[in-house]
Amino acid sequence: MAELDNKFDELKTRLAQIHDLNKAAGVLSWDQRTIMPARGARVRAEQLATLGQVAHEKFSAPEVGRLLEALRPYEDSLPYDSDAASLIRVTRRDWEKARRVPGELRAQMARTASLANGAWVEARQQSDFALFAPHLQKNIDLKHRYVECYDEVENPYDVLLDDYEPEMTTAEVSRVFDELKRHLVPLIAAVAERGRPVDDSGLRGHFPADQQRAFVTGIISRFGFQPDSWRLDPTVHPFASNSATTDIRITTRYYDDTIGPALFGSMHECGHGLYENGISPLLERTPLCRGVSLGLHESQSRLWENLVGRSRPFWRHFFPSLQAAFPEPFAALDLETFYRAINKVQPSFIRVEADEATYNLHVILRFELEQEIMAGRLPVADLPAAWNARMRDYLGVTVPDDAHGVLQDVHWSSGYLGYFPTYSLGNIISCQIWEKAAAALPGLYNQFEQGEFQPLREWLREALYRHGRKFTPAETLQRVVGGPIDVGPYVRYLTSKLTEIYSL
Amino acid sequence: MAELDNKFDELKTRLAQIHDLNKAAGVLSWDQRTIMPARGARVRAEQLATLGQVAHEKFSAPEVGRLLEALRPYEDSLPYDSDAASLIRVTRRDWEKARRVPGELRAQMARTASLANGAWVEARQQSDFALFAPHLQKNIDLKHRYVECYDEVENPYDVLLDDYEPEMTTAEVSRVFDELKRHLVPLIAAVAERGRPVDDSGLRGHFPADQQRAFVTGIISRFGFQPDSWRLDPTVHPFASNSATTDIRITTRYYDDTIGPALFGSMHECGHGLYENGISPLLERTPLCRGVSLGLHESQSRLWENLVGRSRPFWRHFFPSLQAAFPEPFAALDLETFYRAINKVQPSFIRVEADEATYNLHVILRFELEQEIMAGRLPVADLPAAWNARMRDYLGVTVPDDAHGVLQDVHWSSGYLGYFPTYSLGNIISCQIWEKAAAALPGLYNQFEQGEFQPLREWLREALYRHGRKFTPAETLQRVVGGPIDVGPYVRYLTSKLTEIYSL
């Protein structure tokens, strides 16, 4: 076995180097999106392309495949859930995927997406889909070539989905979303038709960025990162990133007239950050050192943003200090009015501004359109009309122009097809995990009222975070909640919350 | 020639990738030294090691040597000063150096220096040289192995020097420093013995960091970076860095009770930054895209810090706004007292706090001790005594303890032997270049009084900055000042300035 030990060490060393290169790219990207002088962008793009290319070359090298093959007996000799067996198993799956895609195609996808992104910015500014359409077509054509690299798939969309939610099939997402839609459409209609109105005008005021930052930092500190292991910085399009499990970078955006985006956005990104911060230190510098899928990741951002951050017990604790920090709008407001306002449901055009309930219909719409596009049933030119029709059907709103419709999201310009569904998968999973946590920690809400979140965070770390990518998303979910994805808890949560707020 | 064109393109592509990896390491290092959460350090060290190793492997690859060999006819067909011929020529020299040093030795030097650095921090805190001595010995032993990689050298110290000041010999530095010492020692003695005293107590006061930052930013903006191409950040040990010629990062340190370090330190780092910012955009992402040597680089930091920033015309312009920004200490001060105070000469223990004149004796002392150590004439154990004796001889001061003596600098712990001389070479060269600039731009001081620095910066960009590393340091200096290194201008500058201030 000494030779196998050596081979395993060699594999780990190679993977650690590749991980370092990817994390370096992460730091450069974080830097670009937060603090980089604007004129540094052209060279930074080259640096990111180089890091991506070198990391990919090193990973898809035949030698990695030979090591993985040679290590089969080593893997078989270890427990399935050991770090070492998991590293070999997960890396083999990654390698099998990576080696199928020619470097030339990968480079062409990156270049095309880069140009498409520029065209999209312009098109959105002018609200003119025609400017973007040819670039989107190129991205889609390349996605078809990408799908062809995986010759044995049944549904081409499965390949796209797998990059973000490994081993989840289109059929399974469709089944889950159909069921979700069946519950959500009537619930949202009931709120609009029969609910007592919610007044959120009391949330408007004057919010200096420095004071927002201080307040938000106070909350995030309570959520419980290890000290000296995180940063919060302003940016235009908020995101979470990290250089190590002990160096988490979250970002947010401060608006003058409302604290909502910074408040809930920060808690959202903090959820992503807590997941990465909680990964076992033993997995550091390995490909297992990451949240297992975008869906599971989003379950944590949504859990901390919504299930914690929009809950009544949370605000029983924090509302007095919010009133003290911002007496201007909040001194005159009572907790109940505030609670109802931050949970208001109202169909709107823009996904990222949508409330907890309608958000999913934005996602389902995109998931359906993406499938039709990839199946060739929907020509790109017809996309705006299809978008607008479905917005009317699902949310009852009339899209005024493409900037508020089909052009609102960056994803398609970046070549991210198959990404959107993970947002709603995250919502669904967040409530499955929440029910388990609440059952395991009976005093959870009492703790929130005391500003105490450590028991929840520790439970999540133990149940989910520490595993990183050791298991598949489905295996991971099974371990945490004891079953597969299930819309039940989410529907129960929304129905109960909205029934109370809107007196349905 | 088409085949040669292809080979040249291949070389450029490889070098651009390597440059990207090195610049990525630069960003990661900048991040670590300015804003990184403290707990990120362990993983960051691994990331930096990986980037260094991958860049070195890619550069020292035999294929790069083969390309360089194949490109000889291409190089010969082009003018010596063309970008392409210079790229091949300079890269060949770099490659010849890089390929001689085994990766194993390089890694061992990095690891040993890393441990030595930790020991040095501890030793300095306790002011106990014995804690550091064995680590220094290891660094020195490895330097000897490093020197042996270059078998044909006459003086081992030449090899060390070449890493920082290419093609400069120990003999030449000795000649220059001996002459400098011959002038400086009596000049400094005259100031101490016969000069009228200078009172700098008026520089003390209360200086909030935010206001220092605003004032310093105002100055640096006038020195003239392109907009959106630089940042200024606080740090513990100030430095200048960059991710691209259009993304310059300078750093400084704010003390509560004095603005001097932030003021002159920022102008110093700004000088480094202006050099990199002024390199021709055509050299971006090539190994030529860097200042040509540490000496030439330091000439620019010192030029902007001292020849500009400690000049009377500069303060004729800025002193009123300094008084307005900090009325507490400065409203009561007149310009002449301020000017004399910021140019006060006083022998002291610490190099980085030394004035313009005594600074060089600190450097010469280190240069002499380094040579004796490398020649085996000075055992490490005797270093503190030798240090203290020379401080008495050159500066007339008695070193109280090792922390204020032999342990004060980080360089030896990091394995930087041969680095110190470049500081004084920079001082000397700064005045050679200054005399040329002043001759070419007769209205220079009038412009400073108007707060106008663009003509000087443009002259420097045209004469020096744009060339990057296209020529050797000696060739570069020849192009700018028409001759070799010469202490004359520096001695004239200091003598004239101190004669006036101290009424010698």
Side-chain angles (χ1 to χ4, degrees):
Chain A
M1 289 303 266
E3 198 205 321
L4 285 181
D5 277 342
N6 285 346
K7 280 194 192 299
F8 182 67
D9 283 346
E10 191 191 332
L11 179 69
K12 269 197 87 166
T13 303
R14 280 174 183 261
L15 295 177
Q17 277 210 342
I18 293 160
H19 192 76
D20 289 337
L21 292 167
N22 287 326
K23 287 294 173 184
V27 174
L28 263 60
S29 173
W30 173 87
D31 180 89
Q32 171 162 25
R33 294 159 79 182
T34 52
I35 61 175
M36 188 185 76
R39 292 173 59 96
R42 199 182 53 78
V43 173
R44 181 56 52 87
E46 301 284 354
Q47 292 162 348
L48 287 169
T50 290
L51 286 168
Q53 191 181 331
V54 174
H56 179 71
E57 277 167 10
K58 284 190 172 284
F59 182 60
S60 58
E63 185 52 34
V64 174
R66 278 194 289 272
L67 282 169
L68 289 166
E69 200 49 43
L71 284 165
R72 277 191 196 273
Y74 188 75
E75 180 190 350
D76 292 341
S77 75
L78 298 166
Y80 183 86
D81 61 357
S82 67
D83 288 354
S86 301
L87 181 66
I88 297 167
R89 184 177 66 243
V90 172
T91 301
R92 184 177 294 118
R93 188 176 196 278
D94 290 347
W95 187 81
E96 287 292 343
K97 286 191 70 172
R99 73 179 180 86
R100 288 163 179 260
V101 184
E104 166 272 319
L105 174 57
R106 210 169 276 275
Q108 206 178 328
M109 284 165 68
R111 267 196 308 275
T112 305
S114 175
L115 291 173
N117 195 265
W120 168 74
V121 169
E122 179 75 15
R124 191 168 82 148
Q125 265 164 7
Q126 302 194 24
S127 194
D128 182 355
F129 181 75
L131 293 178
F132 176 51
H135 294 275
L136 177 57
Q137 187 63 58
K138 278 185 198 150
N139 275 351
I140 292 165
D141 293 345
L142 287 168
K143 281 289 166 195
H144 280 293
R145 278 192 56 203
Y146 179 74
V147 168
E148 280 161 21
C149 299
Y150 304 86
D151 38 12
E152 73 281 26
V153 246
E154 201 174 307
N155 184 338
Y157 194 84
D158 284 352
V159 174
L160 308 186
L161 199 54
D162 195 87
D163 284 349
Y164 310 106
E165 201 63 30
E167 303 196 6
M168 178 79 91
T169 63
T170 313
E172 189 172 7
V173 177
S174 294
R175 185 188 57 72
V176 168
F177 282 6
D178 283 347
E179 192 183 342
L180 185 62
K181 199 163 62 170
R182 201 161 53 242
H183 288 96
L184 281 187
V185 172
L187 180 65
I188 292 164
V191 165
E193 287 158 24
R194 304 195 319 268
R196 60 163 179 166
V198 161
D199 176 13
D200 63 352
S201 61
L203 300 181
R204 297 269 148 183
H206 176 61
F207 299 92
D210 281 0
Q211 289 170 44
Q212 290 193 57
R213 194 195 133 75
F215 188 79
V216 156
T217 301
I219 290 177
I220 290 173
S221 305
R222 297 301 276 275
F223 282 180
F225 284 118
Q226 294 161 296
D228 296 326
S229 68
W230 64 288
R231 289 183 58 89
L232 170 68
D233 293 88
T235 191
V236 177
H237 299 292
F239 65 99
S241 168
N242 67 83
S243 159
T245 61
T246 49
D247 180 357
I248 305 292
R249 314 277 174 110
I250 64 181
T251 64
T252 195
R253 183 167 179 178
Y254 304 106
Y255 292 87
D256 260 5
D257 60 346
T258 169
I259 195 176
L263 201 51
F264 298 105
S266 296
M267 289 193 263
H268 180 100
E269 303 306 340
C270 178
H272 285 305
L274 286 170
Y275 192 169
E276 301 280 322
N277 187 232
I279 294 173
S280 165
L282 299 174
L283 303 183
E284 189 79 80
R285 295 185 72 229
T286 75
L288 304 185
C289 191
R290 207 173 72 209
V292 66
S293 71
L294 292 195
L296 263 299
H297 232 302
E298 191 75 3
S299 82
Q300 293 314 293
S301 56
R302 297 300 255 179
L303 184 147
W304 287 96
E305 173 194 359
N306 290 332
L307 292 152
V308 177
R310 290 185 205 267
S311 74
R312 208 182 253 115
F314 176 90
W315 286 108
R316 283 220 178 93
H317 178 77
F318 279 112
F319 193 60
S321 51
L322 184 72
Q323 289 182 303
F326 304 97
E328 177 48 52
F330 294 134
L333 220 61
D334 64 290
L335 174 58
E336 270 312 300
T337 309
F338 177 77
Y339 170 72
R340 287 163 45 83
I342 62 172
N343 284 293
K344 180 175 179 175
V345 168
Q346 179 152 47
S348 62
F349 307 120
I350 305 294
R351 175 183 60 86
V352 296
E353 294 169 6
D355 58 78
E356 267 185 284
T358 61
Y359 187 94
N360 302 288
L361 296 179
H362 290 267
V363 169
I364 291 171
L365 170 156
R366 286 156 178 77
F367 169 64
E368 293 169 351
L369 294 178
E370 284 184 347
Q371 286 179 82
E372 291 173 29
I373 285 171
M374 285 303 291
R377 292 196 305 273
L378 177 62
V380 162
D382 297 347
L383 193 52
W387 179 287
N388 297 348
R390 224 162 293 215
M391 283 297 283
R392 244 188 323 269
D393 283 358
Y394 294 168
L395 287 163
V397 298
T398 304
V399 174
D401 54 38
D402 290 344
H404 292 82
V406 69
L407 286 175
Q408 69 183 264
D409 290 308
V410 68
H411 302 60
W412 291 343
S413 78
S414 305
Y416 297 164
L417 279 98
Y419 186 119
F420 282 119
T422 65
Y423 289 125
S424 283
L425 296 176
N427 283 335
I428 294 163
I429 295 167
S430 73
C431 285
Q432 291 185 264
I433 295 177
W434 179 257
E435 282 196 355
K436 286 289 162 187
L441 305 165
L444 204 52
Y445 273 155
N446 289 336
Q447 289 156 7
F448 289 4
E449 289 188 17
Q450 307 300 316
E452 179 56 73
F453 305 93
Q454 200 171 320
L456 174 62
R457 196 201 66 242
E458 275 306 297
W459 187 90
L460 290 166
R461 198 182 60 72
E462 183 65 24
L464 172 63
Y465 301 166
R466 66 188 172 99
H467 299 308
R469 288 178 77 217
K470 278 178 69 172
F471 309 109
T472 67
E475 287 168 349
T476 306
L477 189 62
Q478 175 75 35
R479 280 174 174 262
V480 184
V481 305
I485 189 160
D486 171 17
V487 299
Y490 187 54
V491 169
R492 281 197 289 279
Y493 159 74
L494 273 185
T495 306
S496 142
K497 187 171 182 178
L498 299 184
T499 299
E500 188 227 334
I501 290 176
Y502 283 92
S503 309
L504 295 178
Chain B
M1 290 302 266
E3 199 204 323
L4 286 180
D5 278 342
N6 285 345
K7 281 194 192 299
F8 183 68
D9 283 347
E10 191 190 334
L11 179 70
K12 270 198 84 165
T13 302
R14 280 173 183 261
L15 296 176
Q17 276 210 342
I18 293 159
H19 192 77
D20 289 337
L21 292 166
N22 287 326
K23 287 294 172 183
V27 174
L28 262 61
S29 173
W30 172 89
D31 180 88
Q32 173 162 26
R33 294 158 80 183
T34 51
I35 59 174
M36 188 186 75
R39 292 173 60 96
R42 196 181 55 75
V43 173
R44 181 57 51 86
E46 301 284 356
Q47 291 162 348
L48 287 169
T50 290
L51 286 168
Q53 191 181 330
V54 173
H56 178 70
E57 277 167 11
K58 284 191 173 281
F59 183 59
S60 57
E63 185 54 34
V64 174
R66 278 195 286 273
L67 282 170
L68 289 166
E69 200 49 45
L71 284 166
R72 277 191 197 275
Y74 188 74
E75 180 190 352
D76 293 341
S77 75
L78 297 166
Y80 182 86
D81 61 357
S82 66
D83 288 354
S86 301
L87 181 67
I88 298 168
R89 185 176 65 244
V90 173
T91 301
R92 184 176 293 118
R93 188 174 195 279
D94 291 347
W95 187 81
E96 287 293 342
K97 286 190 69 172
R99 75 181 179 85
R100 287 162 180 259
V101 185
E104 167 272 319
L105 174 57
R106 209 169 276 274
Q108 207 178 327
M109 285 166 66
R111 268 196 307 275
T112 306
S114 175
L115 291 172
N117 195 265
W120 166 77
V121 169
E122 179 75 15
R124 191 168 81 147
Q125 265 164 9
Q126 302 194 24
S127 194
D128 183 354
F129 181 75
L131 293 178
F132 176 52
H135 294 274
L136 177 56
Q137 187 63 58
K138 278 186 199 149
N139 275 350
I140 292 166
D141 293 345
L142 287 168
K143 280 290 166 195
H144 281 293
R145 278 191 56 203
Y146 179 72
V147 167
E148 281 162 21
C149 300
Y150 304 86
D151 39 12
E152 73 281 23
V153 249
E154 202 173 307
N155 183 339
Y157 195 84
D158 285 351
V159 174
L160 308 186
L161 200 54
D162 195 86
D163 284 349
Y164 310 108
E165 202 62 30
E167 304 198 5
M168 178 78 91
T169 64
T170 314
E172 189 174 6
V173 177
S174 295
R175 185 187 59 70
V176 168
F177 281 7
D178 285 347
E179 193 183 341
L180 185 62
K181 198 162 62 171
R182 202 160 55 241
H183 289 95
L184 281 187
V185 171
L187 180 64
I188 292 164
V191 165
E193 287 158 23
R194 305 196 318 269
R196 63 164 177 164
V198 160
D199 176 14
D200 63 352
S201 61
L203 300 182
R204 297 268 147 185
H206 177 61
F207 299 92
D210 280 358
Q211 289 170 43
Q212 291 192 57
R213 194 194 133 75
F215 189 77
V216 156
T217 301
I219 290 177
I220 289 172
S221 305
R222 298 300 277 273
F223 282 179
F225 284 117
Q226 294 159 294
D228 296 327
S229 68
W230 64 288
R231 289 183 56 91
L232 170 67
D233 293 271
T235 190
V236 177
H237 299 291
F239 64 98
S241 168
N242 67 83
S243 159
T245 61
T246 48
D247 180 357
I248 305 292
R249 314 277 175 112
I250 64 181
T251 64
T252 195
R253 184 168 178 177
Y254 304 106
Y255 292 88
D256 260 5
D257 60 346
T258 168
I259 194 175
L263 202 49
F264 298 106
S266 296
M267 289 193 262
H268 180 100
E269 303 306 341
C270 178
H272 285 306
L274 286 170
Y275 193 170
E276 301 281 322
N277 187 232
I279 294 172
S280 164
L282 298 174
L283 304 182
E284 189 79 83
R285 296 185 71 231
T286 76
L288 304 184
C289 191
R290 206 172 74 209
V292 66
S293 72
L294 292 194
L296 264 298
H297 232 302
E298 192 74 3
S299 82
Q300 293 315 293
S301 56
R302 297 302 253 176
L303 185 147
W304 287 97
E305 173 193 0
N306 291 332
L307 292 153
V308 177
R310 290 184 205 268
S311 75
R312 207 181 254 117
F314 175 91
W315 286 109
R316 285 221 177 95
H317 178 78
F318 279 111
F319 192 61
S321 51
L322 184 72
Q323 290 181 303
F326 304 97
E328 176 48 51
F330 294 135
L333 221 61
D334 64 289
L335 175 59
E336 269 314 300
T337 309
F338 177 78
Y339 170 73
R340 286 162 49 82
I342 62 171
N343 284 292
K344 181 176 180 175
V345 168
Q346 179 152 47
S348 63
F349 307 121
I350 305 294
R351 176 183 59 85
V352 297
E353 294 169 6
D355 58 77
E356 266 185 284
T358 61
Y359 186 95
N360 304 287
L361 296 178
H362 290 268
V363 169
I364 291 170
L365 171 156
R366 287 156 176 77
F367 170 65
E368 292 170 351
L369 294 177
E370 284 184 348
Q371 286 178 82
E372 292 173 29
I373 285 172
M374 285 303 292
R377 293 196 305 272
L378 177 62
V380 163
D382 297 345
L383 194 52
W387 178 288
N388 296 347
R390 224 163 292 217
M391 283 296 283
R392 246 188 321 271
D393 284 357
Y394 294 168
L395 287 163
V397 298
T398 303
V399 174
D401 55 37
D402 291 342
H404 291 82
V406 68
L407 286 176
Q408 68 184 264
D409 291 308
V410 68
H411 302 62
W412 291 343
S413 78
S414 306
Y416 297 163
L417 278 98
Y419 186 119
F420 281 120
T422 65
Y423 288 127
S424 283
L425 297 177
N427 284 334
I428 294 163
I429 295 167
S430 74
C431 285
Q432 291 185 262
I433 295 176
W434 178 258
E435 282 196 354
K436 286 288 162 188
L441 304 165
L444 204 53
Y445 272 156
N446 290 336
Q447 289 156 7
F448 288 4
E449 290 189 15
Q450 307 301 316
E452 178 55 72
F453 305 94
Q454 200 172 320
L456 173 62
R457 197 201 66 241
E458 275 305 298
W459 187 90
L460 290 165
R461 197 182 60 73
E462 182 65 25
L464 172 62
Y465 300 165
R466 67 189 172 99
H467 299 308
R469 289 178 76 218
K470 278 178 68 172
F471 310 110
T472 68
E475 286 169 350
T476 305
L477 189 63
Q478 176 74 34
R479 280 176 173 262
V480 183
V481 306
I485 190 160
D486 171 17
V487 301
Y490 187 55
V491 170
R492 281 196 290 277
Y493 159 74
L494 273 185
T495 306
S496 142
K497 187 171 184 177
L498 298 184
T499 300
E500 189 228 330
I501 289 176
Y502 282 92
S503 308
L504 297 178

